[in-house]
Amino acid sequence: MGWLDAIEGPEDIRGLSPRELRELADEIRETIIDTVARTGGHLGASLGVVELTLALHLEFQSPEDKIVWDVGHQGYPHKLLTGRRRVFHTLRQPGGISGFLRRAESPHDAWEAGHASTAISAAVGFAKARDLRGERHHVVAVVGDGALTGGLAFEGLNNAGALKSDLVVVLNDNSMSIAPNVGAIHAYLSRIRSLPSYRSLRDEVERALRHIPRVGPRVAEAVERVKDSLKYLVLPGMLFEELGFTYLGPVDGHNIQAVREALRQAKRVGGPVLVHVKTQKGRGFEPAEKAPDAGHSFKPFDRATGRPLAKPGPRPPEYTKVFAETLVALGRDRPEVVAVTAAMPDGTGTQRFKEAYPDRFFDVGIAEQHAVVFAAGLALGGLRPVVAIYSTFLQRAYDQLVHDVGRMNLPVVFAVDRAGLVGQDGDSHQGSFDIAYLRSIPNFVVMQPKDEDELRHMLRTAIEYRGGPVAIRYPRGEGVGVPLSGEPELLPIGRAELLRAGEDVAILALGPAAYRALAAAEALAQDGVSARVVNARFAKPLDREAVLAAAELGALVTVEDGTRLGGFGSAVLELLASEGRLVPTAVLGYPDRFIEHGEPAAQLASFGLDADGIARAARSVLAEARSRRSAEVSAAARDGQGGPGAA
Ligand SMILES: Cc1ncc(C[n+]2csc(CCOP(=O)(O)OP(=O)(O)O)c2C)c(N)n1
């Protein structure tokens, strides 16, 4: 029995001695490592904040005080301390607790995220609401140095400095985003990381001076003035001071007492205060500490070695890998091709492009908006940017897609990875919306390959297309296992591919759903139903001829791995409606709700998007079409009997 077993909530850690707290920290680490070895998850970030989390819960009284975690992937120690110890083994499992913070899980989860850089803005909102309602609790945002590369974080800092409400921002600086952090702010933080803590020394002097009666305050003011002129030379954190924050630090984030002292000081100072805490990502688990991403995210692994548990047999390559290799190959004799990532060189596979062509690769940090506008500039400057961003994170750059790329009709290629269900990361990360949000922008071509080989063709097609922006969406994980053909081919824009002839019902599928549609057609054939299967390839422009020809059969099913609202099926219905050719149609896609974490195959089945579901939908539209037809026939017969020409 350890300390952790007795902890039901943060109040239970308050009586522990410094030594006991350190032992508790060790137990928290062990529990996290053991659990993530089985479940997979965000190990590195959580291991890095164990002591920081303890210090926060010791100095702040959650849930009255609001602790606002950025991203939320570092929330495992927080979960263990706030009543979720017994269910922690269900982390990220279907029906289990989330890998991020969830308001529905605990009153201690003041905020929920998944995307980076939101915490400061949210905390400023919490602080202002508190002030206006005359409440007195503390508000503290915890934000990583990676998240600080996101423009939104600076919008929050800027506003906080102006509003001047009491607010503590803890900068959890581990020098890492997922990959090593990038950019000028990172270089700045690295410089001040190495400086001794300045603030405490200065404050001690000031406090001592103020205690000398009469002369004290005046001398302190003079010291303040001297400090103002000197601080440009010596004070760490000037950037934050200029933004209206009091800067405290840097503090060793693995020393609970030191962090507590800094947090206490922050509460005393009042106004917006930034506490700069230095931590080590992956701390306490050697395979994480040594990993190039400091163990950001682990699949289930062998506890002893940290190595991923091997999957049996050879597996098809992941879409990301095929994209990355094709991009490198296409870049070889196309010097104008450049690659852009927003802090995800490994996740998007663009790291390979970096290795092949270091000068033509750009990691801009967690800055999707900048990535898109930067690419617009690159395109106008004569280059051919390929911007690889996950579907969910590209949402952040929506105005840039519309205003800066679509409107000027610029030839930027968007490689929209993780389009569709993503599994354990859950609702903040599902790639549900990109078809809907991209196809509504004029000038965009939006396509999705049915398999990893077609991805190669689409990438070449997109890079050689001169007509405007192109988005290629493809899912997380393995391809379908088709052989990769020779040279990538050029595909005709806006042309679908007939995969199976059929006369009773047509299934129009976008992406790998085409294979499920083929399996459905096979099952339908057993029942004597002849189903046509079309690989749509394009959500925009639609293959008008193929869609109208499909409608001729009188019964249609559309299938896509994305929300039903405003997606590919909607596009088909819009076309049919505008041509006056609507027929019974089942639009299969994700339901209109945020989709929790889960096992994608099971989720697809529950949405009726697996082969069985597609076959069911086909039978039902066919039945509807037949009953309509027979109703029409009987109506015509009735009309015929009563009509003037009746025999
Ligand atoms: C808008 C957005 N883009 C990309 C990501 C992917 N992502 C998740 S965590 C992370 C790194 C965050 O770095 P930092 O804030 O320093 O936290 P750390 O993991 O180092 O603790 C990134 C890029 C994201 N969550 N949100």
Side-chain angles (χ1 to χ4, degrees):
M1 165 118 181
W3 299 113
L4 188 56
D5 297 326
I7 288 174
E8 303 300 337
E11 57 287 351
D12 295 328
I13 63 173
R14 298 211 175 106
L16 300 183
S17 69
R19 185 181 54 77
E20 291 163 347
L21 285 169
R22 281 197 300 277
E23 288 169 6
L24 174 60
D26 291 343
E27 287 174 32
I28 292 173
R29 278 206 172 81
E30 287 307 303
T31 307
I32 291 173
I33 299 166
D34 284 346
T35 306
V36 176
R38 282 182 295 99
T39 63
H42 288 107
L43 191 58
S46 284
L47 292 181
V49 297
V50 174
E51 291 81 10
L52 171 59
T53 307
L54 285 166
L56 283 164
H57 279 297
L58 287 163
E59 290 306 322
F60 295 97
Q61 319 285 313
S62 173
E64 289 72 36
D65 292 341
K66 308 296 171 205
I67 304 177
V68 182
W69 297 91
D70 203 80
V71 188
H73 65 317
Q74 74 293 62
Y76 302 173
H78 168 83
K79 286 189 186 231
L80 286 169
L81 294 177
T82 53
R84 281 163 280 187
R85 158 175 81 71
R86 287 193 186 80
V87 289
F88 194 65
H89 65 280
T90 69
L91 185 74
R92 291 157 54 95
Q93 304 307 296
I97 60 170
S98 166
F100 296 89
L101 301 182
R102 299 302 296 259
R103 293 172 65 238
E105 264 180 29
S106 166
H108 295 279
D109 293 6
W111 176 249
E112 41 183 84
H115 289 196
S117 317
T118 63
I120 301 173
S121 298
V124 178
F126 274 111
K128 203 68 220 171
R130 170 203 58 203
D131 296 351
L132 288 182
R133 289 164 58 96
E135 295 167 352
R136 303 184 58 80
H137 55 265
H138 294 283
V139 177
V140 51
V142 187
V143 58
D145 57 301
L148 208 62
T149 55
L152 178 57
F154 282 87
E155 295 173 30
L157 288 174
N158 185 48
N159 194 216
L163 292 179
K164 298 191 169 56
S165 290
D166 289 353
L167 166 72
V168 179
V169 173
V170 173
L171 172 58
N172 169 31
D173 177 7
N174 55 23
S175 270
M176 296 284 294
S177 186
I178 293 182
N181 205 358
V182 293
I185 297 289
H186 167 62
Y188 173 71
L189 291 179
S190 303
R191 275 201 306 277
I192 59 178
R193 257 176 88 89
S194 56
L195 294 173
S197 183
Y198 169 88
R199 172 71 57 178
S200 50
L201 173 70
R202 196 198 77 182
D203 283 0
E204 291 311 314
V205 174
E206 267 180 37
R207 206 175 314 139
L209 286 171
R210 280 184 200 283
H211 278 107
I212 305 171
R214 254 191 271 261
V215 287
R218 251 180 295 141
V219 178
E221 276 157 30
V223 168
E224 193 68 25
R225 276 199 303 278
V226 175
K227 175 206 78 187
D228 270 349
S229 49
L230 279 181
K231 71 183 175 186
Y232 289 91
L233 299 176
V234 296
L235 183 66
M238 261 321 297
L239 176 71
F240 303 106
E241 295 263 342
E242 293 294 343
L243 284 168
F245 277 74
T246 301
Y247 172 93
L248 301 179
V251 183
D252 173 2
H254 300 297
N255 179 336
I256 300 174
Q257 301 312 318
V259 180
R260 289 187 71 176
E261 173 52 33
L263 294 175
R264 245 178 266 145
Q265 218 176 334
K267 286 193 281 189
R268 276 203 302 272
V269 171
V273 181
L274 185 129
V275 181
H276 185 180
V277 174
K278 297 186 287 184
T279 59
Q280 179 190 11
K281 200 163 179 169
R283 173 115 171 167
F285 185 52
E286 212 180 302
E289 287 181 7
K290 290 202 168 137
D293 65 351
H296 182 80
S297 168
F298 271 82
K299 295 197 169 120
F301 59 88
D302 176 345
R303 177 69 175 80
T305 62
R307 288 209 199 92
L309 299 174
K311 288 187 187 171
R315 310 293 313 172
E318 302 204 329
Y319 281 93
T320 304
K321 177 165 181 270
V322 174
F323 158 75
E325 286 172 356
T326 311
L327 186 62
V328 169
L330 291 169
R332 200 159 295 136
D333 45 10
R334 292 176 181 81
E336 72 281 11
V337 171
V338 295
V340 181
T341 179
M344 312 287 287
D346 283 314
T348 59
T350 46
Q351 177 69 22
R352 285 174 188 245
F353 196 85
K354 175 185 180 179
E355 283 152 17
Y357 319 109
D359 299 346
R360 290 153 58 191
F361 164 84
F362 306 98
D363 177 357
V364 299
I366 306 177
E368 290 79 7
Q369 302 179 71
H370 166 69
V372 173
V373 182
F374 171 58
L378 291 169
L380 280 171
L383 297 177
R384 195 82 181 131
V386 177
V387 183
I389 295 182
Y390 294 2
S391 165
T392 187
F393 302 139
L394 192 58
Q395 287 164 196
R396 181 156 290 179
Y398 193 58
D399 183 54
Q400 290 70 25
L401 292 170
V402 173
H403 174 269
D404 303 289
V405 174
R407 208 167 47 89
M408 288 186 268
N409 197 22
L410 300 180
V412 179
V413 177
F414 293 95
V416 185
D417 199 334
R418 280 20 171 215
L421 297 175
V422 296
Q424 293 187 315
D425 281 339
D427 64 4
S428 58
H429 283 57
Q430 306 286 13
S432 305
F433 305 113
D434 60 273
I435 307 176
Y437 71 67
L438 289 168
R439 83 172 188 87
S440 51
I441 309 175
N443 296 326
F444 263 76
V445 170
V446 183
M447 48 186 163
Q448 179 169 10
K450 67 178 182 301
D451 54 40
E452 62 274 31
D453 192 37
E454 201 167 68
L455 172 59
R456 299 165 64 247
H457 306 317
M458 286 194 173
L459 188 56
R460 172 167 174 213
T461 305
I463 285 176
E464 296 201 4
Y465 177 66
R466 289 283 176 265
V470 182
I472 312 171
R473 75 187 301 263
Y474 46 93
R476 177 179 191 156
E478 292 168 1
V480 296
V482 294
L484 301 182
S485 50
E487 281 295 292
E489 294 158 22
L490 278 180
L491 300 176
I493 298 286
R495 288 287 289 283
E497 179 193 31
L498 179 67
L499 294 179
R500 178 178 174 127
E503 298 308 324
D504 298 326
V505 57
I507 309 172
L508 305 177
L510 184 71
Y515 285 95
R516 300 181 327 250
L518 282 172
E522 203 53 50
L524 290 165
Q526 310 288 315
D527 300 347
V529 174
S530 157
R532 178 181 302 175
V533 178
V534 176
N535 166 28
R537 281 185 176 155
F538 294 84
K540 186 182 189 179
L542 279 185
D543 186 334
R544 182 175 173 279
E545 257 172 53
V547 172
L548 295 181
E552 285 296 303
L553 302 189
L556 263 186
V557 179
T558 69
V559 200
E560 65 201 287
D561 291 313
T563 179
R564 296 175 68 243
L565 277 73
F568 164 68
S570 295
V572 169
L573 287 179
E574 287 158 17
L575 172 65
L576 295 179
S578 70
E579 301 271 345
R581 307 273 288 278
L582 283 169
V583 295
T585 304
V587 172
L588 305 186
Y590 302 164
D592 179 23
R593 62 174 167 80
F594 289 100
I595 300 166
E596 62 289 355
H597 63 276
E599 210 282 301
Q603 290 179 319
L604 275 189
S606 75
F607 303 154
L609 284 167
D610 60 348
D612 279 353
I614 297 170
R616 260 194 324 273
R619 284 190 197 99
S620 112
V621 281
L622 195 53
E624 191 190 333
R626 284 181 176 154
S627 85
R628 274 199 209 176
R629 240 175 270 145
S630 64
E632 276 163 22
V633 170
S634 358
R638 262 199 320 276
D639 290 351
Q641 275 162 15

